[in-house]
Amino acid sequence: QVQLVESGGGSVQAGGSLRLSCVASGGTSSTACMGWFRQAPGKAREGVAAIHEFGSTRIADSVKGRFTISRDDAKNTLYLQMNSLKPEDTAMYYCAAEIGVCTSPPLLSSGYFEYWGQGTQVTVSS
């Protein structure tokens, strides 16, 4: 069983930056893939970025060039660096992990990930 705890969300003006963190615990020795998803009110959950344990990444077109995903396995921590934030980035951001086999780079599909955090809110004002 893997537990995920996100942090780093908050309120920021458009053009600003935030860095989200997700600490994993319990059975983390084989988190093959990890990712970030977001869900805005009234909208479906969408994949933002995902990273394979060997380093390959997949970034959604909507955030490409602005967001960067990384992981520090020594700290069991996943990061999402978000720059040039826009009001449309406002959402609850969720960390996800899969300990089984996953593709390289991982798919940005919520059904692909077994473990989820509780989310951290990001609000971008214009």
Side-chain angles (χ1 to χ4, degrees), residues 28-120:
T28 59
S29 62
S30 58
T31 47
C33 293
M34 299 188 76
W36 290 99
F37 290 75
R38 67 185 182 186
Q39 187 166 19
K43 294 188 177 181
R45 187 171 295 188
E46 65 169 333
V48 176
I51 184 167
H52 191 272
E53 63 180 325
F54 297 143
S56 63
T57 62
R58 191 184 302 274
I59 309 293
D61 289 343
S62 58
V63 303
K64 196 168 290 182
R66 301 188 297 121
F67 290 11
T68 303
I69 188 170
S70 61
R71 59 190 288 174
D72 184 339
D73 289 338
K75 296 181 178 179
N76 292 327
T77 303
L78 177 72
Y79 301 101
L80 184 68
Q81 179 66 45
M82 306 185 295
N83 299 328
S84 302
L85 282 161
K86 303 176 180 180
E88 50 263 45
D89 294 319
T90 295
M92 184 72 78
Y93 283 71
Y94 298 91
C95 172
E98 170 56 42
I99 64 174
V101 176
C102 63
T103 62
S104 178
L107 299 175
L108 281 178
S109 172
S110 59
Y112 194 61
F113 293 85
E114 183 174 2
Y115 300 99
W116 293 83
Q118 294 300 306
T120 185

